[in-house]
Amino acid sequence: MMAELSLDFQFTSSINKVWNALTDSDTLAKWIMENDFKPVVGHRFQFRTQPTEWWSGIIDGEVLIVDAPNRLSYTWISGEEHTVTWTLQDLGDGKVNLHLEQTGISNAQAVEGAKYGWTNWFGEFEKVLEEM
């Protein structure tokens, strides 16, 4: 049975800044990993970090949906293939909700690992937004 991760993050920012932090390769590198990401449907890309004895440090992906500045989806392949989908919602008063859905996860332990990873990355994401 496949599992999924669903998280929401709220930011005091413009929806365009949040979109840029999700889709600009240089900005992504500041909060997640070095990459060759482009927000173009069909573009194949990699996130790259230091390998460990258990992992190559590479996440392969392909962009599936680009609906600026509302929705972005791509595959996330590292051992198993997941789909990551971001949905942005302007809440007004300078607030944005960013919803993450990661599907195709094989088990509860992997869901907890993904939750831990995204939560840590979003500490950096918030810092990047403040610098923009």
Side-chain angles (χ1 to χ4, degrees):
M1 183 174 118
M2 291 295 171
E4 71 178 52
L5 174 66
S6 181
L7 295 171
D8 283 279
F9 303 92
Q10 282 82 39
F11 301 101
T12 300
S13 185
S14 73
I15 196 169
N16 289 324
K17 281 186 180 181
V18 174
W19 177 260
N20 187 59
L22 289 174
T23 59
D24 177 73
S25 179
D26 292 336
T27 307
L28 277 167
K30 292 178 184 177
W31 70 272
I32 191 168
M33 289 180 232
E34 291 295 322
N35 64 87
D36 57 354
F37 185 85
K38 291 180 183 156
V40 175
V41 172
H43 177 70
R44 294 181 183 273
F45 64 93
Q46 289 185 330
F47 285 114
R48 297 174 299 280
T49 192
Q50 287 297 110
T52 69
E53 62 182 287
W54 302 283
W55 180 51
S56 68
I58 296 173
I59 296 166
D60 289 301
E62 180 178 350
V63 178
L64 303 173
I65 298 169
V66 178
D67 177 17
N70 305 302
R71 195 157 175 250
L72 174 70
S73 185
Y74 47 81
T75 58
W76 178 277
I77 305 167
S78 179
E80 58 187 30
E81 183 171 336
H82 302 168
T83 300
V84 172
T85 302
W86 302 101
T87 305
L88 292 78
Q89 181 182 10
D90 189 334
L91 301 174
D93 293 327
K95 306 253 187 240
V96 176
N97 186 76
L98 178 59
H99 177 74
L100 163 67
E101 188 172 293
Q102 188 168 350
T103 59
I105 303 173
S106 63
N107 60 63
Q109 182 179 356
V111 169
E112 288 306 309
K115 182 178 180 180
Y116 175 82
W118 287 117
T119 301
N120 282 342
W121 281 325
F122 270 91
E124 293 302 311
F125 185 91
E126 198 153 21
K127 291 177 192 171
V128 167
L129 281 181
E130 290 170 3
E131 294 170 2
M132 294 174 75

XYZ file of all heavy atoms in Angstrom, residues 29-115:
698
model
N 18.898 26.076 -4.785
C 20.188 25.614 -4.261
C 20.468 26.185 -2.871
O 21.194 25.580 -2.086
C 21.309 25.989 -5.222
N 19.888 27.324 -2.560
C 20.120 27.948 -1.249
C 19.362 27.252 -0.131
O 19.761 27.332 1.022
C 19.716 29.421 -1.287
C 20.612 30.267 -2.158
C 20.121 31.693 -2.181
C 20.960 32.538 -3.121
N 20.453 33.906 -3.220
N 18.249 26.588 -0.454
C 17.464 25.982 0.628
C 17.298 24.471 0.532
O 16.954 23.831 1.513
C 16.103 26.666 0.781
C 15.106 26.427 -0.317
C 14.978 27.153 -1.467
C 14.093 25.425 -0.355
N 13.951 26.653 -2.224
C 13.377 25.599 -1.558
C 13.699 24.406 0.518
C 12.312 24.785 -1.919
C 12.626 23.592 0.160
C 11.955 23.789 -1.051
N 17.556 23.901 -0.633
C 17.376 22.444 -0.725
C 18.669 21.762 -1.170
O 19.308 21.125 -0.359
C 16.135 22.089 -1.579
C 15.799 20.614 -1.458
C 16.267 22.501 -2.996
C 14.445 20.224 -2.010
N 19.035 21.857 -2.444
C 20.265 21.227 -2.946
C 20.662 21.880 -4.257
O 19.842 22.478 -4.932
C 20.038 19.736 -3.247
C 19.856 18.843 -2.074
S 19.614 17.134 -2.630
C 18.128 16.735 -1.738
N 21.931 21.686 -4.624
C 22.375 22.063 -5.960
C 21.496 21.322 -6.961
O 21.056 20.197 -6.690
C 23.845 21.686 -6.180
C 24.810 22.510 -5.362
C 24.802 23.976 -5.752
O 24.693 24.291 -6.962
O 24.903 24.819 -4.844
N 21.250 21.967 -8.118
C 20.302 21.369 -9.055
C 20.454 21.978 -10.433
O 21.150 22.981 -10.611
C 18.876 21.597 -8.546
C 18.533 23.078 -8.518
O 18.087 23.637 -9.514
N 18.778 23.733 -7.384
N 19.766 21.391 -11.384
C 19.664 21.968 -12.727
C 18.180 22.065 -13.114
O 17.784 21.814 -14.238
C 20.473 21.167 -13.745
C 20.088 19.694 -13.820
O 19.253 19.222 -13.003
O 20.621 18.991 -14.692
N 17.381 22.465 -12.143
C 15.928 22.562 -12.303
C 15.542 23.705 -13.232
O 16.130 24.776 -13.202
C 15.268 22.788 -10.935
C 13.766 22.782 -11.004
C 13.068 21.590 -10.939
C 13.050 23.966 -11.149
C 11.677 21.572 -11.017
C 11.675 23.958 -11.229
C 10.986 22.758 -11.164
N 14.533 23.457 -14.058
C 13.892 24.499 -14.868
C 12.391 24.233 -14.823
O 11.967 23.088 -15.010
C 14.363 24.455 -16.323
C 15.794 24.871 -16.510
C 16.201 24.819 -17.966
C 17.669 25.177 -18.070
N 18.294 24.644 -19.264
N 11.577 25.272 -14.592
C 10.127 25.077 -14.529
C 9.499 24.944 -15.925
O 8.737 25.785 -16.378
C 9.644 26.320 -13.788
C 10.640 27.366 -14.153
C 11.951 26.647 -14.291
N 9.854 23.853 -16.593
C 9.394 23.578 -17.952
C 8.889 22.134 -17.971
O 9.650 21.208 -17.642
C 10.542 23.759 -18.975
C 10.091 23.364 -20.371
C 11.080 25.183 -18.944
N 7.639 21.936 -18.342
C 7.076 20.586 -18.390
C 7.946 19.699 -19.281
O 8.315 20.096 -20.389
C 5.608 20.614 -18.884
C 5.089 19.208 -19.118
C 4.727 21.352 -17.890
N 8.300 18.529 -18.752
C 9.133 17.583 -19.486
C 10.614 17.705 -19.182
O 11.387 16.805 -19.529
N 11.029 18.802 -18.536
C 12.452 18.983 -18.213
C 12.888 17.940 -17.187
O 12.256 17.767 -16.155
C 12.708 20.395 -17.671
C 14.130 20.614 -17.260
N 15.160 20.688 -18.163
C 14.690 20.750 -16.031
C 16.295 20.870 -17.514
N 16.047 20.908 -16.215
N 13.975 17.247 -17.495
C 14.558 16.286 -16.554
C 15.678 17.000 -15.799
O 16.468 17.722 -16.402
C 15.095 15.064 -17.296
C 13.978 14.266 -17.941
C 14.535 13.027 -18.659
N 13.467 12.324 -19.333
C 12.704 11.404 -18.782
N 12.889 11.084 -17.514
N 11.756 10.808 -19.481
N 15.722 16.766 -14.495
C 16.678 17.494 -13.653
C 17.184 16.595 -12.541
O 16.697 15.480 -12.344
C 16.014 18.744 -13.061
C 14.869 18.429 -12.135
C 15.077 18.310 -10.767
C 13.576 18.238 -12.624
C 14.026 17.998 -9.920
C 12.524 17.930 -11.775
C 12.749 17.813 -10.415
N 18.191 17.109 -11.825
C 18.708 16.422 -10.646
C 18.889 17.418 -9.507
O 19.302 18.553 -9.729
C 20.073 15.787 -10.917
C 20.032 14.592 -11.820
C 21.396 13.932 -11.940
O 22.445 14.578 -11.841
N 21.393 12.622 -12.164
N 18.589 16.940 -8.300
C 19.043 17.589 -7.080
C 20.268 16.787 -6.664
O 20.254 15.552 -6.700
C 17.983 17.509 -5.971
C 16.829 18.445 -6.155
C 15.552 17.956 -6.386
C 17.007 19.819 -6.078
C 14.479 18.813 -6.533
C 15.930 20.687 -6.233
C 14.676 20.187 -6.462
N 21.342 17.488 -6.244
C 22.586 16.808 -5.909
C 23.141 17.316 -4.578
O 23.191 18.521 -4.344
C 23.637 17.055 -6.992
C 23.262 16.497 -8.348
C 24.263 16.877 -9.422
N 24.398 18.313 -9.623
C 23.564 19.071 -10.336
N 22.522 18.529 -10.915
N 23.764 20.354 -10.462
N 23.575 16.379 -3.749
C 24.227 16.713 -2.488
C 25.335 15.700 -2.238
O 25.530 14.783 -3.045
C 23.204 16.757 -1.325
O 23.823 17.343 -0.186
C 22.666 15.375 -0.993
N 26.044 15.847 -1.132
C 27.134 14.933 -0.807
C 26.597 13.503 -0.658
O 25.633 13.283 0.071
C 27.800 15.348 0.501
C 28.645 16.601 0.385
C 29.807 16.409 -0.559
O 29.829 16.987 -1.639
N 30.759 15.585 -0.195
N 27.228 12.545 -1.325
C 26.802 11.151 -1.147
C 27.209 10.640 0.239
O 28.101 11.205 0.873
C 27.547 10.406 -2.253
C 28.674 11.283 -2.655
C 28.281 12.697 -2.315
N 26.529 9.610 0.677
C 26.886 8.936 1.918
C 27.127 7.474 1.596
O 26.940 7.050 0.452
C 25.749 9.035 2.961
O 24.652 8.240 2.507
C 25.309 10.467 3.186
N 27.487 6.696 2.585
C 27.698 5.269 2.324
C 26.390 4.561 1.978
O 26.403 3.463 1.425
C 28.391 4.602 3.505
C 27.607 4.650 4.800
C 28.373 4.023 5.944
O 28.492 2.786 5.971
O 28.834 4.790 6.818
N 25.235 5.177 2.298
C 23.927 4.560 2.054
C 23.185 5.153 0.869
O 22.161 4.642 0.454
C 23.021 4.705 3.284
C 23.618 4.111 4.505
C 23.680 2.761 4.806
C 24.239 4.789 5.568
N 24.305 2.589 6.000
C 24.664 3.841 6.507
C 24.494 6.139 5.854
C 25.326 4.171 7.670
C 25.147 6.463 7.019
C 25.553 5.479 7.905
N 23.683 6.310 0.331
C 22.906 7.025 -0.683
C 23.829 7.774 -1.627
O 24.822 8.373 -1.205
C 21.947 7.982 0.024
C 21.081 8.793 -0.872
C 20.314 8.344 -1.889
C 20.897 10.206 -0.833
N 19.653 9.398 -2.490
C 20.005 10.546 -1.846
C 21.411 11.212 -0.025
C 19.602 11.859 -2.096
C 21.016 12.515 -0.263
C 20.111 12.825 -1.286
N 23.476 7.798 -2.901
C 24.299 8.446 -3.930
C 24.310 9.969 -3.821
O 25.171 10.627 -4.402
C 23.787 8.069 -5.324
O 22.505 8.661 -5.552
N 23.332 10.549 -3.109
C 23.239 12.004 -3.023
C 22.532 12.636 -4.213
O 22.527 13.851 -4.366
N 21.930 11.810 -5.059
C 21.265 12.314 -6.271
C 19.783 11.968 -6.241
O 19.399 10.833 -5.962
C 21.899 11.730 -7.548
C 23.352 12.199 -7.656
C 21.097 12.123 -8.787
C 24.124 11.547 -8.777
N 18.967 12.974 -6.528
C 17.528 12.782 -6.716
C 17.225 13.179 -8.154
O 17.526 14.307 -8.557
C 16.718 13.645 -5.731
C 17.011 13.194 -4.300
C 15.229 13.563 -6.051
C 16.561 14.154 -3.246
N 16.690 12.255 -8.927
C 16.308 12.538 -10.308
C 14.855 12.976 -10.339
O 14.048 12.542 -9.514
C 16.471 11.281 -11.170
C 17.922 10.928 -11.393
O 18.659 11.759 -11.950
O 18.327 9.814 -10.997
N 14.524 13.823 -11.292
C 13.145 14.265 -11.427
C 12.806 14.690 -12.838
O 13.683 14.895 -13.669
N 11.501 14.786 -13.068
C 10.984 15.320 -14.326
C 9.795 16.204 -13.989
O 8.910 15.810 -13.218
C 10.539 14.203 -15.260
C 9.995 14.740 -16.572
C 9.583 13.642 -17.544
O 9.874 12.462 -17.304
O 8.936 14.000 -18.553
N 9.774 17.396 -14.562
C 8.697 18.343 -14.308
C 7.427 17.855 -15.008
O 7.438 17.565 -16.204
C 9.083 19.756 -14.794
C 7.943 20.736 -14.562
C 10.357 20.242 -14.100
N 6.330 17.795 -14.223
C 5.051 17.303 -14.741
C 4.041 18.412 -14.984
O 3.305 18.376 -15.966
C 4.445 16.296 -13.750
C 5.302 15.092 -13.383
C 4.647 14.293 -12.265
C 5.565 14.228 -14.607
N 3.974 19.393 -14.062
C 2.986 20.472 -14.150
C 3.654 21.785 -13.766
O 4.354 21.855 -12.754
C 1.793 20.239 -13.194
C 1.041 18.954 -13.544
C 0.838 21.439 -13.187
C 0.033 18.525 -12.486
N 3.423 22.818 -14.575
C 3.841 24.179 -14.242
C 2.643 25.079 -14.507
O 2.251 25.271 -15.654
C 5.053 24.649 -15.084
C 5.412 26.081 -14.743
C 6.248 23.728 -14.889
N 2.057 25.587 -13.439
C 0.918 26.500 -13.522
C 1.245 27.697 -12.624
O 0.777 27.781 -11.492
C -0.359 25.785 -13.068
C -1.576 26.701 -13.060
O -1.532 27.778 -13.699
O -2.572 26.353 -12.394
N 2.109 28.579 -13.142
C 2.621 29.699 -12.332
C 1.516 30.683 -11.989
O 0.696 30.985 -12.844
C 3.732 30.415 -13.099
N 1.489 31.214 -10.791
C 2.249 30.852 -9.590
C 1.428 29.970 -8.649
O 1.520 30.113 -7.432
C 2.506 32.209 -8.954
C 1.218 32.956 -9.205
C 0.732 32.462 -10.562
N 0.639 29.065 -9.196
C -0.315 28.314 -8.374
C 0.054 26.868 -8.090
O -0.225 26.366 -7.009
C -1.694 28.331 -9.049
C -2.165 29.736 -9.325
O -2.273 30.537 -8.422
N -2.405 30.036 -10.599
N 0.667 26.179 -9.063
C 0.877 24.750 -8.891
C 2.111 24.297 -9.657
O 2.339 24.703 -10.802
C -0.351 24.005 -9.412
C -0.426 22.581 -8.989
C -1.885 22.112 -9.059
N -1.935 20.702 -8.772
C -2.208 19.765 -9.660
N -2.501 20.085 -10.898
N -2.212 18.499 -9.310
N 2.880 23.426 -9.000
C 4.085 22.843 -9.583
C 4.133 21.378 -9.160
O 3.880 21.061 -7.992
C 5.328 23.574 -9.050
C 6.689 23.003 -9.447
C 6.936 23.233 -10.947
C 7.794 23.659 -8.627
N 4.457 20.500 -10.095
C 4.553 19.082 -9.761
C 5.714 18.468 -10.533
O 5.965 18.822 -11.691
C 3.249 18.365 -10.110
O 3.290 17.015 -9.694
N 6.415 17.538 -9.868
C 7.514 16.827 -10.509
C 7.720 15.477 -9.843
O 7.284 15.242 -8.719
C 8.812 17.632 -10.490
C 9.190 18.264 -9.172
C 9.823 17.526 -8.168
C 8.944 19.613 -8.931
C 10.184 18.122 -6.967
C 9.299 20.207 -7.738
C 9.934 19.446 -6.758
O 10.296 20.042 -5.571
N 8.401 14.574 -10.574
C 8.766 13.302 -9.983
C 9.987 13.509 -9.100
O 10.764 14.460 -9.282
C 9.063 12.227 -11.050
O 10.105 12.697 -11.896
C 7.824 11.904 -11.877
N 10.131 12.611 -8.138
C 11.221 12.665 -7.143
C 11.699 11.223 -7.018
O 11.042 10.398 -6.392
C 10.649 13.194 -5.836
C 11.564 13.292 -4.672
C 11.917 12.301 -3.806
C 12.211 14.476 -4.192
N 12.736 12.793 -2.828
C 12.934 14.123 -3.045
C 12.236 15.792 -4.636
C 13.681 15.048 -2.317
C 12.971 16.716 -3.922
C 13.689 16.345 -2.782
N 12.826 10.908 -7.680
C 13.270 9.519 -7.744
C 14.595 9.363 -7.005
O 15.621 9.904 -7.416
C 13.423 9.055 -9.206
C 12.117 9.293 -9.971
C 13.842 7.587 -9.256
C 12.239 9.170 -11.474
N 14.524 8.632 -5.914
C 15.703 8.293 -5.117
C 15.407 6.957 -4.458
O 14.852 6.895 -3.365
C 15.970 9.378 -4.071
O 17.100 9.014 -3.286
N 15.729 5.899 -5.160
C 15.363 4.567 -4.689
C 13.979 4.183 -5.178
O 13.808 3.202 -5.867
N 12.968 4.980 -4.822
C 11.611 4.764 -5.325
C 11.128 6.066 -5.953
O 11.695 7.123 -5.703
C 10.670 4.281 -4.226
C 10.538 5.192 -3.030
C 9.714 4.563 -1.911
O 9.704 3.323 -1.747
O 9.072 5.318 -1.176
N 10.093 5.955 -6.774
C 9.588 7.145 -7.469
C 8.384 7.722 -6.738
O 7.404 7.034 -6.496
C 9.203 6.814 -8.911
C 8.746 8.043 -9.677
C 8.553 7.798 -11.161
O 9.176 6.861 -11.705
O 7.784 8.552 -11.776
N 8.487 8.988 -6.396
C 7.397 9.733 -5.767
C 6.984 10.852 -6.712
O 7.716 11.208 -7.623
C 7.849 10.390 -4.458
C 8.386 9.420 -3.450
N 9.048 9.836 -2.330
C 8.356 8.068 -3.386
C 9.410 8.790 -1.605
N 9.010 7.706 -2.238
N 5.837 11.440 -6.432
C 5.419 12.664 -7.106
C 5.270 13.737 -6.044
O 4.596 13.530 -5.033
C 4.087 12.464 -7.855
O 4.265 11.436 -8.838
C 3.655 13.755 -8.541
N 5.933 14.870 -6.274
C 5.870 16.021 -5.378
C 5.016 17.079 -6.066
O 5.279 17.443 -7.216
C 7.279 16.580 -5.091
C 7.218 17.887 -4.323
C 8.113 15.549 -4.329
N 3.990 17.562 -5.367
C 3.115 18.599 -5.912
C 3.010 19.735 -4.904
O 2.712 19.512 -3.733
C 1.712 18.042 -6.229
O 1.859 16.957 -7.151
C 0.815 19.125 -6.833
N 3.278 20.931 -5.391
C 3.167 22.154 -4.587
C 1.950 22.926 -5.046
O 1.781 23.147 -6.241
C 4.398 23.042 -4.805
C 5.697 22.396 -4.491
C 6.594 21.865 -5.379
C 6.277 22.224 -3.199
N 7.676 21.370 -4.709
C 7.509 21.583 -3.364
C 5.851 22.559 -1.907
C 8.338 21.267 -2.296
C 6.675 22.245 -0.846
C 7.904 21.603 -1.044
N 1.123 23.358 -4.116
C -0.020 24.211 -4.433
C 0.109 25.470 -3.585
O 0.210 25.391 -2.357
C -1.349 23.490 -4.135
O -1.357 22.243 -4.846
C -2.531 24.343 -4.570
N 0.130 26.619 -4.244
C 0.273 27.906 -3.564
C -1.073 28.607 -3.525
O -1.810 28.587 -4.518
C 1.270 28.799 -4.309
C 2.730 28.369 -4.301
C 2.971 27.249 -5.290
C 3.627 29.538 -4.633
N -1.365 29.226 -2.393
C -2.623 29.959 -2.241
C -2.334 31.290 -1.562
O -1.766 31.321 -0.467
C -3.609 29.149 -1.404
C -4.938 29.838 -1.227
C -5.888 29.026 -0.352
O -5.515 28.047 0.276
N -7.122 29.463 -0.303
N -2.719 32.372 -2.227
C -2.600 33.703 -1.640
C -3.724 33.872 -0.635
O -4.899 33.824 -0.994
C -2.680 34.762 -2.742
C -2.346 36.153 -2.249
O -2.524 36.433 -1.042
O -1.905 36.964 -3.080
N -3.370 34.030 0.633
C -4.370 34.159 1.693
C -4.765 35.604 1.953
O -5.615 35.871 2.795
C -3.820 33.546 2.993
C -3.431 32.073 2.924
C -2.780 31.630 4.223
C -4.625 31.206 2.585
N -4.134 36.552 1.248
C -4.386 37.969 1.480
C -3.544 38.478 2.639
O -2.889 37.700 3.344
N -3.531 39.776 2.832
C -2.751 40.407 3.902
C -1.285 39.981 3.888
O -0.658 39.844 4.942
C -3.363 40.116 5.283
C -4.720 40.773 5.454
O -4.921 41.867 4.879
O -5.572 40.191 6.143
N -0.721 39.738 2.698
C 0.689 39.385 2.587
C 1.033 37.994 3.075
O 2.187 37.708 3.384
N 0.064 37.097 3.107
C 0.284 35.721 3.579
C 0.050 34.737 2.433
O -0.850 34.926 1.606
C -0.656 35.375 4.730
C -0.598 36.334 5.883
C 0.100 35.695 7.046
C 0.004 36.606 8.256
N 1.253 37.019 8.757
N 0.868 33.690 2.423
C 0.763 32.650 1.397
C 0.776 31.292 2.081
O 1.585 31.044 2.979
C 1.945 32.728 0.403
C 1.898 31.596 -0.608
C 1.967 34.074 -0.306
N -0.133 30.412 1.666
C -0.104 29.020 2.117
C 0.562 28.199 1.023
O 0.229 28.317 -0.152
C -1.510 28.475 2.366
C -1.457 27.088 2.973
O -1.173 26.940 4.158
N -1.713 26.078 2.165
N 1.507 27.379 1.422
C 2.196 26.485 0.503
C 1.879 25.058 0.951
O 2.234 24.653 2.063
C 3.701 26.742 0.542
C 4.566 25.845 -0.332
C 4.161 25.947 -1.803
C 6.035 26.223 -0.162
N 1.172 24.332 0.091
C 0.776 22.962 0.401
C 1.677 22.001 -0.367
O 1.850 22.132 -1.575
C -0.687 22.730 0.017
C -1.142 21.330 0.248
N -1.399 20.829 1.499
C -1.344 20.310 -0.625
C -1.767 19.565 1.398
N -1.744 19.220 0.114
N 2.254 21.048 0.347
C 3.088 20.001 -0.246
C 2.356 18.675 -0.161
O 1.850 18.311 0.900
C 4.412 19.877 0.536
C 5.214 18.587 0.326
C 5.745 18.493 -1.085
C 6.342 18.496 1.331
N 2.309 17.987 -1.271
C 1.794 16.621 -1.292
C 2.849 15.758 -1.983
O 3.268 16.058 -3.100
C 0.476 16.571 -2.053
C -0.218 15.240 -1.948
C -1.603 15.310 -2.560
O -2.468 16.010 -2.005
O -1.797 14.679 -3.613
N 3.314 14.730 -1.299
C 4.283 13.797 -1.866
C 3.642 12.421 -1.852
O 3.329 11.879 -0.787
C 5.591 13.813 -1.066
C 6.694 13.010 -1.707
C 8.053 13.258 -1.076
O 8.227 14.171 -0.272
N 9.026 12.458 -1.440
N 3.412 11.866 -3.039
C 2.699 10.595 -3.166
C 3.619 9.500 -3.704
O 4.684 9.788 -4.246
C 1.476 10.742 -4.092
O 1.927 11.173 -5.387
C 0.467 11.742 -3.540
N 3.159 8.253 -3.547
C 3.915 7.114 -4.050
C 4.944 6.596 -3.068
O 5.814 5.801 -3.431
N 4.862 7.015 -1.820
C 5.812 6.592 -0.791
C 5.427 5.193 -0.334
O 4.253 4.894 -0.111
C 5.814 7.599 0.381
C 6.140 9.014 -0.139
C 6.805 7.170 1.450
C 5.995 10.109 0.900
N 6.429 4.313 -0.158
C 6.140 2.897 0.052
C 5.725 2.510 1.462
O 5.075 1.487 1.642
C 7.349 2.054 -0.368
O 8.459 2.374 0.450
N 6.112 3.290 2.479
C 5.791 2.860 3.843
C 5.824 4.032 4.819
O 6.301 5.114 4.495
C 6.745 1.747 4.308
C 8.190 2.200 4.310
O 8.561 3.110 5.038
N 9.014 1.560 3.488
N 5.321 3.785 6.016
C 5.208 4.842 7.028
C 6.569 5.392 7.443
O 6.710 6.586 7.705
C 4.459 4.322 8.245
N 7.588 4.548 7.495
C 8.925 5.017 7.866
C 9.448 6.014 6.821
O 10.046 7.033 7.163
C 9.879 3.830 7.995
C 11.280 4.230 8.435
C 12.212 3.039 8.575
O 11.813 1.894 8.424
N 13.469 3.322 8.861
N 9.199 5.726 5.553
C 9.626 6.637 4.485
C 8.852 7.958 4.562
O 9.405 9.025 4.286
C 9.438 5.979 3.129
N 7.571 7.915 4.946
C 6.786 9.143 5.124
C 7.411 9.991 6.225
O 7.594 11.201 6.060
C 5.310 8.832 5.467
C 4.578 10.090 5.899
C 4.607 8.202 4.281
N 7.774 9.378 7.328
C 8.385 10.124 8.432
C 9.728 10.714 8.020
O 10.069 11.834 8.401
C 8.524 9.238 9.676
C 7.202 8.957 10.348
C 6.414 10.215 10.688
O 6.970 11.138 11.319
O 5.221 10.289 10.320
N 10.500 9.972 7.235
C 11.771 10.485 6.733
C 11.573 11.691 5.834
O 12.287 12.694 5.936
N 10.586 11.607 4.950
C 10.289 12.730 4.047
C 9.810 13.939 4.847
O 10.221 15.077 4.585
C 9.241 12.316 3.016
N 8.956 13.700 5.836
C 8.456 14.792 6.670
C 9.600 15.491 7.394
O 9.678 16.720 7.427
C 7.445 14.246 7.682
C 6.825 15.299 8.561
C 5.802 14.675 9.494
C 5.171 15.718 10.391
N 4.174 15.119 11.290
